[in-house]
Amino acid sequence: MIGKLVFFYNLSQTIIMSQRERILDIAETSMRARGYNAVSFREIAGEIGIKSASLHYHFPKKADLGLELVKRYSENFRTALNSATENAANPIEKIEAFIDLHRNALIEQELLCLCVVLGAEARSLPEDVNSSVANFFQSNINWLTDAYQDAGFENAPSRAKAGVATLAGALIASDSLKDNSVFEAAADSVLKS
Amino acid sequence: MIGKLVFFYNLSQTIIMSQRERILDIAETSMRARGYNAVSFREIAGEIGIKSASLHYHFPKKADLGLELVKRYSENFRTALNSATENAANPIEKIEAFIDLHRNALIEQELLCLCVVLGAEARSLPEDVNSSVANFFQSNINWLTDAYQDAGFENAPSRAKAGVATLAGALIASDSLKDNSVFEAAADSVLKS
DNA sequence: GCTTGCCTATCATGTGATAGGTTGTTATTT
DNA sequence: AAATAACAACCTATCACATGATAGGCAAGC
């Protein structure tokens, strides 16, 4: 068996999802829920229905899986961001879309941002995983800087740094307190001029 | 041997630090650097120079250690906050002191906030550890709400939620990027009216 | 026939945890 | 004062289990 039939509700078509993608999906969900060090090969494999040794065929080391996970997450995040902003009427709507991506993670998916979780475990991560996480934060800061600039906000770079930090922390605090109003308060502050 | 002589620079006196405190100190440093799941009894014991079995004498289960850690951290944080704000000339200085506690962790100690780290691992933590972490966030939000209120800021509760989130996320992003300007930008936004 | 994707079996190491013994100090009794 | 009980704080030894990882085999499909 090469691929498994997966029905993508929003595409209304049947596509082939590779086993590799399936592994990444499950690993991502697990790590976003419990962190890098709390997730094991056996657990991921078990959820798919294969043996942990088979996982090593796709990802020889855990660091390989972690690295690929962060890269894919960053790409998907950027893709979703582009797709959500291409019809934006103004820069403010773009920023709202940026916030929405975080809100969606917390409220719909009930998960944190992968890079926020891994960022908290930074010193126990393989080095290249770590720097990929840093890249995610930096590229988000850059993106948000541009958006603030376009919106005519003052101190766009500083505001963008604060904005990325605010959303990251809002996910953690909101999730810990099981109180989405924390996220909404944070979202407001990111939009405030 | 019951205690070890420890010189407290700011007290100019020699006190006895219990082994229990020493264990908590090392466990706190380790967990704030690498997270709950990356820290083992053997590692903590090794750093002190005892065996891991002896650790279980002081803290039977890892959850006991974790819980005690969060409680002690919360108390110490509150104590430091009170001590730093008792001479504050105005509410703004109080908020600055609140920010300074976070800045000190990141820049002087080169560590994150314990509860920020544990918050990111929430779903893999023992339940009572988890709710203690939530208590930390809530009491910080309450404290900051009062401070904003005293300072005459509008929407103090919402602002406080955003402020706590911002500082939490700033620690992670700043640490990951090894760029303290992220923290400073976040700190500015917390102070901004 | 080569590649892909899985399998079984195994490995060394790390993990939290327990049982039971040893030592030195402190408190109580004789 | 001496003997004894009690306790705190460690130890050794061991446990069952989880972990990441490797070697080698097997079947399907191009």
Side-chain angles (χ1 to χ4, degrees):
Chain A
M1 182 185 63
I2 300 284
K4 194 181 198 170
L5 288 181
V6 172
F7 192 70
F8 256 35
Y9 69 93
N10 58 341
L11 291 179
S12 284
Q13 81 183 82
T14 329
I15 63 163
I16 302 292
M17 177 182 261
S18 72
Q19 187 73 307
R20 185 187 167 86
E21 287 293 305
R22 226 170 307 149
I23 292 168
L24 288 168
D25 279 351
I26 289 178
E28 182 184 315
T29 302
S30 301
M31 283 196 189
R32 286 172 63 188
R34 303 193 308 284
Y36 185 88
N37 292 297
V39 174
S40 72
F41 270 53
R42 272 173 181 74
E43 176 207 331
I44 298 169
E47 232 164 303
I48 297 180
I50 60 175
K51 297 292 168 182
S52 80
S54 310
L55 256 187
H56 286 279
Y57 167 77
H58 298 276
F59 303 97
K61 316 263 173 186
K62 194 180 183 182
D64 298 324
L65 172 60
L67 185 60
E68 195 52 36
L69 221 42
V70 175
K71 284 187 174 170
R72 192 186 73 144
Y73 187 82
S74 300
E75 285 166 16
N76 287 351
F77 187 89
R78 181 50 56 107
T79 302
L81 190 56
N82 288 340
S83 138
T85 56
E86 64 184 0
N87 294 323
N90 54 59
I92 298 295
E93 277 188 15
K94 281 186 158 193
I95 299 172
E96 279 170 355
F98 183 77
I99 293 170
D100 267 344
L101 284 185
H102 290 80
R103 181 184 285 114
N104 186 62
L106 182 70
I107 298 180
E108 302 297 323
Q109 303 187 306
E110 298 188 29
L111 294 172
L112 305 191
C113 164
L114 177 66
C115 293
V116 170
V117 173
L118 298 192
E121 295 178 288
R123 291 175 175 80
S124 67
L125 297 182
E127 201 181 306
D128 46 355
V129 176
N130 216 328
S131 57
S132 275
V133 169
N135 285 344
F136 176 83
F137 285 122
Q138 189 58 60
S139 85
N140 277 0
I141 288 174
N142 294 344
W143 185 93
L144 194 52
T145 300
D146 289 346
Y148 276 133
Q149 208 106 51
D150 291 350
F153 282 40
E154 278 174 22
N155 293 324
S158 176
R159 204 182 284 266
K161 288 174 183 171
V164 166
T166 298
L167 291 172
L171 292 178
I172 292 178
S174 242
D175 184 62
S176 173
L177 288 167
K178 298 177 179 60
D179 174 5
N180 292 335
S181 80
V182 174
F183 180 85
E184 296 307 334
D188 284 351
S189 89
V190 171
L191 274 171
K192 201 166 293 172
S193 58
Chain B
M1 182 184 63
I2 301 284
K4 193 182 200 169
L5 288 181
V6 172
F7 194 72
F8 257 35
Y9 69 94
N10 58 341
L11 290 179
S12 284
Q13 82 183 85
T14 327
I15 63 161
I16 302 293
M17 178 182 260
S18 72
Q19 186 74 308
R20 184 186 168 85
E21 287 293 305
R22 226 171 307 149
I23 291 167
L24 288 168
D25 280 351
I26 289 178
E28 181 183 316
T29 302
S30 301
M31 284 197 189
R32 286 172 64 188
R34 303 194 308 285
Y36 185 88
N37 294 296
V39 174
S40 73
F41 270 54
R42 274 173 180 75
E43 176 207 330
I44 298 169
E47 232 164 302
I48 297 180
I50 60 175
K51 297 293 168 180
S52 81
S54 309
L55 255 188
H56 285 280
Y57 167 76
H58 296 276
F59 303 97
K61 314 263 172 187
K62 194 180 183 182
D64 299 324
L65 173 60
L67 185 60
E68 196 51 38
L69 261 172
V70 175
K71 284 188 175 170
R72 192 185 74 143
Y73 187 82
S74 300
E75 285 165 16
N76 288 350
F77 187 89
R78 181 49 56 108
T79 302
L81 189 56
N82 288 340
S83 137
T85 55
E86 65 185 1
N87 295 324
N90 54 59
I92 299 294
E93 278 188 14
K94 281 185 158 192
I95 298 172
E96 278 170 354
F98 183 77
I99 293 171
D100 267 345
L101 284 186
H102 290 80
R103 181 185 285 113
N104 185 62
L106 182 70
I107 298 180
E108 302 297 323
Q109 304 186 307
E110 297 188 30
L111 294 172
L112 304 191
C113 164
L114 177 66
C115 293
V116 170
V117 173
L118 298 192
E121 295 178 288
R123 291 174 176 80
S124 67
L125 297 181
E127 199 181 307
D128 46 355
V129 175
N130 216 329
S131 59
S132 276
V133 169
N135 285 344
F136 175 83
F137 284 122
Q138 189 59 59
S139 85
N140 277 2
I141 288 173
N142 295 343
W143 186 92
L144 194 53
T145 300
D146 290 345
Y148 275 133
Q149 207 107 51
D150 291 351
F153 283 40
E154 278 173 23
N155 293 325
S158 176
R159 203 182 284 266
K161 287 174 184 173
V164 166
T166 299
L167 290 172
L171 292 178
I172 292 178
S174 240
D175 185 61
S176 174
L177 287 167
K178 298 178 177 62
D179 174 6
N180 292 335
S181 80
V182 175
F183 180 85
E184 296 307 334
D188 284 351
S189 89
V190 171
L191 275 171
K192 200 166 295 172
S193 59

PDB file of all heavy atoms in Angstrom, chain A residues 95-112:
ATOM      1  N   ILE A  95      -3.831  41.945   9.213  1.00  0.00           N
ATOM      2  CA  ILE A  95      -3.426  41.672  10.597  1.00  0.00           C
ATOM      3  C   ILE A  95      -4.486  40.826  11.302  1.00  0.00           C
ATOM      4  O   ILE A  95      -4.167  39.916  12.067  1.00  0.00           O
ATOM      5  CB  ILE A  95      -3.175  42.992  11.358  1.00  0.00           C
ATOM      6  CG1 ILE A  95      -2.041  43.763  10.689  1.00  0.00           C
ATOM      7  CG2 ILE A  95      -2.852  42.728  12.825  1.00  0.00           C
ATOM      8  CD1 ILE A  95      -1.821  45.164  11.226  1.00  0.00           C
ATOM      9  N   GLU A  96      -5.730  41.112  10.982  1.00  0.00           N
ATOM     10  CA  GLU A  96      -6.811  40.300  11.561  1.00  0.00           C
ATOM     11  C   GLU A  96      -6.705  38.846  11.111  1.00  0.00           C
ATOM     12  O   GLU A  96      -6.969  37.925  11.887  1.00  0.00           O
ATOM     13  CB  GLU A  96      -8.175  40.888  11.166  1.00  0.00           C
ATOM     14  CG  GLU A  96      -8.580  42.058  12.048  1.00  0.00           C
ATOM     15  CD  GLU A  96      -9.806  42.797  11.520  1.00  0.00           C
ATOM     16  OE1 GLU A  96     -10.283  42.464  10.414  1.00  0.00           O
ATOM     17  OE2 GLU A  96     -10.272  43.724  12.215  1.00  0.00           O
ATOM     18  N   ALA A  97      -6.297  38.664   9.870  1.00  0.00           N
ATOM     19  CA  ALA A  97      -6.132  37.304   9.368  1.00  0.00           C
ATOM     20  C   ALA A  97      -4.988  36.591  10.096  1.00  0.00           C
ATOM     21  O   ALA A  97      -5.063  35.395  10.398  1.00  0.00           O
ATOM     22  CB  ALA A  97      -5.868  37.327   7.867  1.00  0.00           C
ATOM     23  N   PHE A  98      -3.947  37.342  10.359  1.00  0.00           N
ATOM     24  CA  PHE A  98      -2.802  36.807  11.114  1.00  0.00           C
ATOM     25  C   PHE A  98      -3.250  36.350  12.505  1.00  0.00           C
ATOM     26  O   PHE A  98      -2.893  35.259  12.972  1.00  0.00           O
ATOM     27  CB  PHE A  98      -1.728  37.898  11.229  1.00  0.00           C
ATOM     28  CG  PHE A  98      -0.464  37.467  11.913  1.00  0.00           C
ATOM     29  CD1 PHE A  98       0.479  36.697  11.245  1.00  0.00           C
ATOM     30  CD2 PHE A  98      -0.207  37.845  13.227  1.00  0.00           C
ATOM     31  CE1 PHE A  98       1.662  36.309  11.867  1.00  0.00           C
ATOM     32  CE2 PHE A  98       0.969  37.458  13.858  1.00  0.00           C
ATOM     33  CZ  PHE A  98       1.903  36.698  13.183  1.00  0.00           C
ATOM     34  N   ILE A  99      -4.048  37.185  13.128  1.00  0.00           N
ATOM     35  CA  ILE A  99      -4.581  36.836  14.446  1.00  0.00           C
ATOM     36  C   ILE A  99      -5.505  35.626  14.349  1.00  0.00           C
ATOM     37  O   ILE A  99      -5.473  34.722  15.194  1.00  0.00           O
ATOM     38  CB  ILE A  99      -5.333  38.040  15.046  1.00  0.00           C
ATOM     39  CG1 ILE A  99      -4.346  39.170  15.347  1.00  0.00           C
ATOM     40  CG2 ILE A  99      -6.096  37.644  16.307  1.00  0.00           C
ATOM     41  CD1 ILE A  99      -5.003  40.478  15.726  1.00  0.00           C
ATOM     42  N   ASP A 100      -6.307  35.610  13.283  1.00  0.00           N
ATOM     43  CA  ASP A 100      -7.254  34.505  13.093  1.00  0.00           C
ATOM     44  C   ASP A 100      -6.563  33.152  13.006  1.00  0.00           C
ATOM     45  O   ASP A 100      -7.112  32.138  13.458  1.00  0.00           O
ATOM     46  CB  ASP A 100      -8.080  34.728  11.816  1.00  0.00           C
ATOM     47  CG  ASP A 100      -9.386  35.451  12.121  1.00  0.00           C
ATOM     48  OD1 ASP A 100      -9.768  35.487  13.307  1.00  0.00           O
ATOM     49  OD2 ASP A 100     -10.010  35.974  11.181  1.00  0.00           O
ATOM     50  N   LEU A 101      -5.397  33.129  12.420  1.00  0.00           N
ATOM     51  CA  LEU A 101      -4.671  31.860  12.332  1.00  0.00           C
ATOM     52  C   LEU A 101      -4.376  31.331  13.737  1.00  0.00           C
ATOM     53  O   LEU A 101      -4.465  30.131  13.989  1.00  0.00           O
ATOM     54  CB  LEU A 101      -3.371  32.028  11.553  1.00  0.00           C
ATOM     55  CG  LEU A 101      -3.488  32.135  10.039  1.00  0.00           C
ATOM     56  CD1 LEU A 101      -2.104  32.163   9.402  1.00  0.00           C
ATOM     57  CD2 LEU A 101      -4.272  30.953   9.472  1.00  0.00           C
ATOM     58  N   HIS A 102      -4.006  32.241  14.610  1.00  0.00           N
ATOM     59  CA  HIS A 102      -3.730  31.830  15.992  1.00  0.00           C
ATOM     60  C   HIS A 102      -5.026  31.440  16.714  1.00  0.00           C
ATOM     61  O   HIS A 102      -5.068  30.447  17.438  1.00  0.00           O
ATOM     62  CB  HIS A 102      -3.036  32.968  16.746  1.00  0.00           C
ATOM     63  CG  HIS A 102      -1.627  33.232  16.304  1.00  0.00           C
ATOM     64  ND1 HIS A 102      -1.316  33.963  15.184  1.00  0.00           N
ATOM     65  CD2 HIS A 102      -0.440  32.835  16.824  1.00  0.00           C
ATOM     66  CE1 HIS A 102       0.001  34.028  15.062  1.00  0.00           C
ATOM     67  NE2 HIS A 102       0.562  33.353  16.037  1.00  0.00           N
ATOM     68  N   ARG A 103      -6.051  32.242  16.493  1.00  0.00           N
ATOM     69  CA  ARG A 103      -7.333  31.957  17.138  1.00  0.00           C
ATOM     70  C   ARG A 103      -7.855  30.593  16.708  1.00  0.00           C
ATOM     71  O   ARG A 103      -8.370  29.826  17.518  1.00  0.00           O
ATOM     72  CB  ARG A 103      -8.345  33.048  16.786  1.00  0.00           C
ATOM     73  CG  ARG A 103      -9.712  32.831  17.446  1.00  0.00           C
ATOM     74  CD  ARG A 103     -10.723  33.873  17.015  1.00  0.00           C
ATOM     75  NE  ARG A 103     -10.512  35.178  17.629  1.00  0.00           N
ATOM     76  CZ  ARG A 103     -10.156  36.270  16.981  1.00  0.00           C
ATOM     77  NH1 ARG A 103      -9.959  36.229  15.665  1.00  0.00           N
ATOM     78  NH2 ARG A 103      -9.995  37.407  17.616  1.00  0.00           N
ATOM     79  N   ASN A 104      -7.704  30.320  15.439  1.00  0.00           N
ATOM     80  CA  ASN A 104      -8.175  29.042  14.904  1.00  0.00           C
ATOM     81  C   ASN A 104      -7.454  27.867  15.566  1.00  0.00           C
ATOM     82  O   ASN A 104      -8.066  26.861  15.915  1.00  0.00           O
ATOM     83  CB  ASN A 104      -7.963  29.004  13.389  1.00  0.00           C
ATOM     84  CG  ASN A 104      -8.559  27.762  12.768  1.00  0.00           C
ATOM     85  OD1 ASN A 104      -9.754  27.550  12.840  1.00  0.00           O
ATOM     86  ND2 ASN A 104      -7.701  26.927  12.187  1.00  0.00           N
ATOM     87  N   ALA A 105      -6.155  28.022  15.734  1.00  0.00           N
ATOM     88  CA  ALA A 105      -5.380  26.964  16.392  1.00  0.00           C
ATOM     89  C   ALA A 105      -5.930  26.711  17.791  1.00  0.00           C
ATOM     90  O   ALA A 105      -6.220  25.572  18.166  1.00  0.00           O
ATOM     91  CB  ALA A 105      -3.901  27.362  16.469  1.00  0.00           C
ATOM     92  N   LEU A 106      -6.095  27.775  18.533  1.00  0.00           N
ATOM     93  CA  LEU A 106      -6.522  27.646  19.932  1.00  0.00           C
ATOM     94  C   LEU A 106      -7.953  27.156  20.074  1.00  0.00           C
ATOM     95  O   LEU A 106      -8.238  26.250  20.863  1.00  0.00           O
ATOM     96  CB  LEU A 106      -6.371  28.999  20.642  1.00  0.00           C
ATOM     97  CG  LEU A 106      -6.742  29.011  22.122  1.00  0.00           C
ATOM     98  CD1 LEU A 106      -5.726  28.228  22.940  1.00  0.00           C
ATOM     99  CD2 LEU A 106      -6.877  30.437  22.648  1.00  0.00           C
ATOM    100  N   ILE A 107      -8.854  27.748  19.293  1.00  0.00           N
ATOM    101  CA  ILE A 107     -10.276  27.493  19.525  1.00  0.00           C
ATOM    102  C   ILE A 107     -10.824  26.341  18.689  1.00  0.00           C
ATOM    103  O   ILE A 107     -11.539  25.483  19.203  1.00  0.00           O
ATOM    104  CB  ILE A 107     -11.082  28.786  19.304  1.00  0.00           C
ATOM    105  CG1 ILE A 107     -10.596  29.833  20.328  1.00  0.00           C
ATOM    106  CG2 ILE A 107     -12.578  28.533  19.462  1.00  0.00           C
ATOM    107  CD1 ILE A 107     -11.281  31.155  20.262  1.00  0.00           C
ATOM    108  N   GLU A 108     -10.485  26.311  17.404  1.00  0.00           N
ATOM    109  CA  GLU A 108     -10.998  25.228  16.560  1.00  0.00           C
ATOM    110  C   GLU A 108     -10.188  23.954  16.779  1.00  0.00           C
ATOM    111  O   GLU A 108     -10.734  22.897  17.049  1.00  0.00           O
ATOM    112  CB  GLU A 108     -10.941  25.629  15.082  1.00  0.00           C
ATOM    113  CG  GLU A 108     -11.707  26.905  14.738  1.00  0.00           C
ATOM    114  CD  GLU A 108     -13.207  26.776  15.000  1.00  0.00           C
ATOM    115  OE1 GLU A 108     -13.743  25.686  14.756  1.00  0.00           O
ATOM    116  OE2 GLU A 108     -13.816  27.767  15.475  1.00  0.00           O
ATOM    117  N   GLN A 109      -8.867  24.075  16.649  1.00  0.00           N
ATOM    118  CA  GLN A 109      -8.021  22.885  16.755  1.00  0.00           C
ATOM    119  C   GLN A 109      -7.766  22.493  18.211  1.00  0.00           C
ATOM    120  O   GLN A 109      -7.367  21.369  18.499  1.00  0.00           O
ATOM    121  CB  GLN A 109      -6.688  23.134  16.049  1.00  0.00           C
ATOM    122  CG  GLN A 109      -6.826  23.537  14.580  1.00  0.00           C
ATOM    123  CD  GLN A 109      -5.476  23.607  13.895  1.00  0.00           C
ATOM    124  OE1 GLN A 109      -4.568  24.283  14.352  1.00  0.00           O
ATOM    125  NE2 GLN A 109      -5.346  22.904  12.774  1.00  0.00           N
ATOM    126  N   GLU A 110      -7.966  23.446  19.097  1.00  0.00           N
ATOM    127  CA  GLU A 110      -7.637  23.232  20.507  1.00  0.00           C
ATOM    128  C   GLU A 110      -6.189  22.804  20.693  1.00  0.00           C
ATOM    129  O   GLU A 110      -5.878  21.910  21.484  1.00  0.00           O
ATOM    130  CB  GLU A 110      -8.598  22.218  21.145  1.00  0.00           C
ATOM    131  CG  GLU A 110     -10.047  22.706  21.131  1.00  0.00           C
ATOM    132  CD  GLU A 110     -10.986  21.813  21.931  1.00  0.00           C
ATOM    133  OE1 GLU A 110     -10.525  21.193  22.895  1.00  0.00           O
ATOM    134  OE2 GLU A 110     -12.185  21.768  21.589  1.00  0.00           O
ATOM    135  N   LEU A 111      -5.338  23.465  19.940  1.00  0.00           N
ATOM    136  CA  LEU A 111      -3.897  23.191  20.025  1.00  0.00           C
ATOM    137  C   LEU A 111      -3.132  24.501  20.082  1.00  0.00           C
ATOM    138  O   LEU A 111      -3.637  25.538  19.664  1.00  0.00           O
ATOM    139  CB  LEU A 111      -3.439  22.398  18.802  1.00  0.00           C
ATOM    140  CG  LEU A 111      -3.976  20.988  18.626  1.00  0.00           C
ATOM    141  CD1 LEU A 111      -3.579  20.434  17.266  1.00  0.00           C
ATOM    142  CD2 LEU A 111      -3.453  20.081  19.742  1.00  0.00           C
ATOM    143  N   LEU A 112      -1.919  24.428  20.574  1.00  0.00           N
ATOM    144  CA  LEU A 112      -1.070  25.608  20.533  1.00  0.00           C
ATOM    145  C   LEU A 112      -0.334  25.655  19.205  1.00  0.00           C
ATOM    146  O   LEU A 112      -0.431  24.733  18.396  1.00  0.00           O
ATOM    147  CB  LEU A 112      -0.056  25.578  21.686  1.00  0.00           C
ATOM    148  CG  LEU A 112      -0.615  25.429  23.096  1.00  0.00           C
ATOM    149  CD1 LEU A 112       0.480  25.689  24.121  1.00  0.00           C
ATOM    150  CD2 LEU A 112      -1.774  26.366  23.328  1.00  0.00           C
TER     151      LEU A 112
END
